[in-house]
Amino acid sequence: MKYLTEFRDGELAKKLFVEIASLVTRTWTLMEVCGGQTHSIIRNGIDQLLPRQIQLIHGPGCPVCVTPVEQIDRALAIAALPKVTFCSFGDMLRVPGSHGDLFQVKSQGGDVRVVYSPLDAVKLARENPNSEIVFFAIGFETTAPANAMAVYQAKRLGLKNFSLLVSHVLVPPAMEAILNAPENSVQGFLAAGHVCSVMGYHQYPQLAKRFRVPIVITGFEPLDLLEGIRRAVLQLEAGQAFVENTYPRVVSLEGNRPAQDRIAEVFELTDRIWRGMGWIPKSGWRLREEYRGFDAEWKFELPDLPVVADTVCRSGEILRGTLKPNRCPAFGNSCTPRTPLGATMVSSEGACAAYFNYGRLIDLNLKSVPEVETASCPA
């Protein structure tokens, strides 16, 4: 398949592994901030084939995973209301809130539906004028254009029974929060190509300069990721820190201007709370005042709901990159895809789900890091 198979070439991957191994003279820690990249790394065993001096850790890159319990609880409360049809992408239905999940609301008679696009929810609103149709608008910069378009269309159609429960978050403020954290160990980032395809990457140079970290924009296939790692290691070994775009077939500096314009018309910046990371200033979007009638939180006037935190699940540490999934005591025991304790095990982009689904049930990297070595070419 064009743009896929050529980026999965095993011979080229071997050459990149060898070149990366030849570059390394000390230990480096890199973080990817995208659940799709995490799954590709784990599925292809990239982290295990790299020299042990290179540590890959997984950041808050899964949109389902970073949605806070507070917002899940609001979704449960709205979905349980009479004459409400609550629409969401499938992963969100199993994410636990303080007192259950959306599947449980559905089993108790709530009208909870899986849709494949926010525009499906707009269509439902047109076809069901006597019901309130609410769409759970979660995600990063990648899903915001479609959600903004849904609200724009609903307003243009004069729909009064359509609204969004908004939980949009932004990647650059989260990267800054990680770099500012006392426990931070990140020395370089693999930035998410799909986020940059929408927003461009003009926000990253100041982060790279201020924190002295290389930021390399990468894609999702094995060769994309290996080239991103190679570029990051080259910078680190040379004592450099700047932004590189290794995904030019998709990403440009300016990004997708029409999408940005639609987002700017409908949304405005706001502070957001992230699962495992707390409040991050100006790290999300909310609906602008002129679109407030489509804001489900405003429409349903929900009171503040007390959050019951899970004391066993350590997904917050996993999202901050301070804990690998298979070092969590609950991983694979009380927490599995069938019995998830947290969002990182539920979501198809979650780090815990990746480790479980691809057989990383134990941590093979608990051995101490050896002296500098030249890694052999992977088989």
Side-chain angles (χ1 to χ4, degrees), residues 40-295:
S40 184
I41 288 168
I42 303 303
R43 180 172 62 246
N44 292 290
I46 290 173
D47 55 331
Q48 293 178 322
L49 293 169
L50 288 170
R52 291 192 176 183
Q53 290 82 11
I54 301 175
Q55 174 82 352
L56 298 185
I57 57 176
H58 321 301
C62 161
V64 171
C65 305
V66 300
T67 303
V69 175
E70 289 86 345
Q71 208 67 345
I72 303 293
D73 287 347
R74 292 188 183 99
L76 299 179
I78 293 172
L81 294 172
K83 296 186 178 180
V84 166
T85 298
F86 194 89
C87 303
S88 172
F89 297 133
D91 278 2
M92 291 304 299
L93 269 63
R94 297 184 64 221
V95 178
S98 294
H99 305 287
D101 57 35
L102 286 167
F103 264 130
Q104 288 176 288
V105 174
K106 185 176 179 67
S107 71
Q108 294 162 3
D111 188 358
V112 179
R113 304 189 191 187
V114 173
V115 295
Y116 297 95
S117 161
L119 292 176
D120 291 344
V122 173
K123 183 181 178 186
L124 271 175
R126 294 183 70 182
E127 295 171 348
N128 298 274
N130 295 321
S131 296
E132 284 288 341
I133 310 299
V134 183
F135 179 73
F136 202 175
I138 69 155
F140 296 103
E141 294 91 333
T142 46
T143 54
N147 291 333
M149 178 58 78
V151 173
Y152 174 82
Q153 289 283 17
K155 185 174 184 179
R156 193 174 67 86
L157 294 168
L159 297 177
K160 304 296 183 185
N161 64 329
F162 174 80
S163 59
L164 299 183
L165 178 59
V166 180
S167 190
H168 272 304
V169 289
L170 310 175
V171 170
M175 292 167 65
E176 183 173 351
I178 287 168
L179 292 168
N180 275 323
E183 73 271 19
N184 173 52
S185 63
V186 176
Q187 295 165 296
F189 281 106
L190 303 178
H194 56 353
V195 170
C196 296
S197 73
V198 176
M199 302 305 293
Y201 54 91
H202 55 86
Q203 292 176 290
Y204 292 123
Q206 61 88 16
L207 273 179
K209 182 179 180 181
R210 178 180 166 198
F211 293 96
R212 295 287 304 160
V213 291
I215 300 175
V216 183
I217 298 154
T218 68
F220 304 87
E221 298 303 322
L223 296 189
D224 290 320
L225 290 159
L226 285 170
E227 177 61 8
I229 293 166
R230 187 185 74 85
R231 298 280 192 98
V233 171
L234 270 171
Q235 287 194 44
L236 288 165
E237 291 284 343
Q240 298 174 318
F242 55 90
V243 178
E244 285 188 89
N245 177 17
T246 66
Y247 201 35
R249 67 184 187 275
V250 174
V251 173
S252 63
L253 176 62
E254 65 274 14
N256 186 327
R257 289 286 176 81
Q260 294 169 26
D261 291 344
R262 185 64 71 208
I263 291 170
E265 179 181 343
V266 173
F267 293 120
E268 63 184 5
L269 279 176
T270 188
D271 301 342
R272 280 278 175 209
I273 187 168
W274 293 54
R275 185 188 293 260
M277 299 181 69
W279 284 99
I280 302 177
K282 297 181 179 178
S283 67
W285 281 314
R286 66 181 179 189
L287 290 165
R288 289 186 176 278
E289 181 66 33
E290 51 267 43
Y291 288 94
R292 192 56 49 84
F294 297 96
D295 186 336

Side-chain angles (χ1 to χ4, degrees), residues 347-361:
S347 172
S348 59
E349 292 191 36
C352 295
Y355 274 61
F356 191 92
N357 291 333
Y358 299 117
R360 300 289 185 87
L361 302 183

